[in-house]
Amino acid sequence: MPGARSRRRLEANYWPGFVDALSSLLLVIIFMLSLFMLTQFFLGQEIQGRDSALARLNSQIAELTDLLQLERANSDDLNSQIANLTATLGNAQAENASLSSQLAGIGAGLDGKDATIAGLQGDLLAAQELSDEANAQVALLNQQLAALRTQINALEVALEASESRDSQSRTQIADLGRRLNVALAQRVQDLSRYRSDFFGRLRQILEGRADVRVVGDRFVFQSEVLFDPGQADVQAGGLPELDALADAILQLETEIPPDINWVLRIDGHTDSRPISNARFPSNWELSAARAISVAQYLVSKGVSPNRLVAAGFGEFTPIDPGETEEAYRRNRRIEFKLTEG
């Protein structure tokens, strides 16, 4: 009978360890997903800004293309006018030759027809004036056509330059995305290394405390270590642990480079039993007040306020869903997590 009781006791002790392992794995997965979403958010913001610049460049290219097409249409119209005037000039020259031939024939065969000759000479002069006017219009149109061709060449050069800038922008966007991914990965790796060193240092400092443990990427203090039931003022018995934590944070501040943005998040949690009094109408207020009290004490020990974040979660994120006294005790806790700022 004593041997059977011993075996049942050993079998019963396996389940809490299994639950802790599953909780640790779940927290690690949630942290990695949160980190991935944050990385994708910043990358999306950067790419969105580059896409806007690219859209403006495409709009400018479209406007230059429309202007080029319009100028080419005007060029076609001028060429058509030149062709018409050239045909008119050819007709006038032909008529001039015909009149000259008629005048020569009249002069040779009809010596007495001076009036007719004078009339024909007048017609010849009119035809010559018309030919001179047509030549002047042709010359003017040729000048306009040359200017239009110069404008078309300038537009083609501008279009080629815009296309070149567009290609360079696409290349820069791709390179920027690659460098951003590399930088983010490096920052995450650096912060993970410092987090590992920080937790290792805390493990050594708090070794042997059953009410202080590591759960995933967090250090967990049971509320009884720091607070009396239903209170948010740090009790004297918990000050040595907070002093050791403050020393570790101060040392961490000197080790992490300034370009790595990090904070120590202090999360307050309660059990699911309701509380209602004049100071704390709900568990939310109690958990937030406890987190703030811890943050204020660490600041009084020299920790930079901009490296601390206090948050209250009330009873809404339990680590043990049971309704036993042991489950309630496990859920009443203060968690410390080193994360990105």
Side-chain angles (χ1 to χ4, degrees), residues 182-202:
V182 172
L184 288 175
Q186 184 63 40
R187 287 292 179 269
V188 171
Q189 183 178 1
D190 292 342
L191 187 59
S192 298
R193 176 169 57 85
Y194 289 113
R195 182 189 298 113
S196 177
D197 294 342
F198 177 64
F199 278 8
R201 191 176 301 125
L202 286 182

Side-chain angles (χ1 to χ4, degrees), residues 17 24 57 110 140 161 275:
S24 300
L57 287 175
L110 299 173
L140 178 61
I275 181 175

Side-chain angles (χ1 to χ4, degrees), residues 226-304:
L226 303 175
F227 305 101
D228 291 327
Q231 300 299 318
D233 298 323
V234 179
Q235 62 179 348
L239 296 182
E241 282 73 20
L242 291 183
D243 290 340
L245 177 62
D247 292 339
I249 297 172
L250 291 174
Q251 184 175 354
L252 184 68
E253 287 183 334
T254 63
E255 295 174 357
I256 298 183
D259 59 339
I260 296 181
N261 191 15
W262 64 275
V263 294
L264 182 68
R265 207 176 77 186
I266 306 168
D267 298 338
H269 300 269
T270 68
D271 58 38
S272 59
R273 291 176 295 187
I275 181 175
S276 179
N277 55 45
R279 185 178 180 187
F280 305 117
S282 71
N283 284 323
W284 229 337
E285 282 84 356
L286 176 60
S287 63
R290 286 179 169 178
I292 292 172
S293 293
V294 173
Q296 290 174 338
Y297 184 80
L298 294 177
V299 170
S300 71
K301 292 299 180 178
V303 178
S304 299

Side-chain angles (χ1 to χ4, degrees), residues 7-257:
R7 285 193 300 272
R8 283 195 299 271
R9 189 176 300 111
L10 290 175
E11 291 173 355
N13 288 337
Y14 294 156
W15 176 246
F18 180 70
V19 171
D20 286 344
L22 287 180
S23 300
S24 300
L25 179 60
L26 180 59
L27 288 173
V28 169
I29 292 173
I30 291 174
F31 171 72
M32 294 303 295
L33 289 175
S34 301
L35 188 61
F36 175 76
M37 291 175 66
L38 182 62
T39 301
Q40 293 301 316
F41 172 77
F42 285 116
L43 181 60
Q45 291 293 320
E46 186 67 24
I47 293 177
Q48 182 178 2
R50 292 295 180 174
D51 287 341
S52 299
L54 182 60
R56 290 195 297 271
L57 287 175
N58 288 333
S59 175
Q60 293 177 358
I61 290 173
E63 292 177 358
L64 289 173
T65 302
D66 292 340
L67 183 59
L68 179 60
Q69 292 177 350
L70 180 62
E71 294 296 337
R72 284 176 175 170
N74 291 336
S75 176
D76 292 339
D77 292 338
L78 290 175
N79 287 330
S80 177
Q81 292 180 12
I82 289 174
N84 292 334
L85 288 174
T86 302
T88 302
L89 178 60
N91 293 333
Q93 290 175 345
E95 186 178 356
N96 186 13
S98 176
L99 290 173
S100 297
S101 178
Q102 292 178 11
L103 181 59
I106 291 172
L110 299 173
D111 296 335
K113 300 296 183 180
D114 293 336
T116 302
I117 293 173
L120 292 174
Q121 287 178 340
D123 292 339
L124 179 59
L125 291 175
Q128 289 177 344
E129 291 177 355
L130 179 62
S131 176
D132 293 338
E133 183 179 356
N135 286 331
Q137 291 181 358
V138 169
L140 178 61
L141 289 174
N142 284 330
Q143 293 177 358
Q144 294 177 351
L145 181 60
L148 183 59
R149 285 173 177 169
T150 301
Q151 293 178 1
I152 290 174
N153 290 333
L155 288 174
E156 289 177 346
V157 171
L159 181 60
E160 290 177 357
S162 296
E163 291 175 348
S164 177
R165 287 195 301 270
D166 181 37
S167 177
Q168 293 176 357
S169 297
R170 292 179 184 273
T171 302
Q172 291 175 355
I173 289 172
D175 183 63
L176 179 61
R178 180 186 59 80
R179 287 185 292 164
L180 181 60
N181 286 332
V182 172
L184 288 175
Q186 184 63 40
R187 287 292 179 269
V188 171
Q189 183 178 1
D190 292 342
L191 187 59
S192 298
R193 176 169 57 85
Y194 289 113
R195 182 189 298 113
S196 177
D197 294 342
F198 177 64
F199 278 8
R201 191 176 301 125
L202 286 182
R203 284 190 186 96
Q204 294 176 357
I205 294 173
L206 302 173
E207 185 177 7
R209 291 296 303 262
D211 46 10
V212 179
R213 66 188 188 280
V214 177
V215 178
D217 60 344
R218 304 164 185 257
F219 253 89
V220 179
F221 283 63
Q222 295 306 134
S223 293
E224 288 77 7
V225 178
L226 303 175
F227 305 101
D228 291 327
Q231 300 299 318
D233 298 323
V234 179
Q235 62 179 348
L239 296 182
E241 282 73 20
L242 291 183
D243 290 340
L245 177 62
D247 292 339
I249 297 172
L250 291 174
Q251 184 175 354
L252 184 68
E253 287 183 334
T254 63
E255 295 174 357
I256 298 183

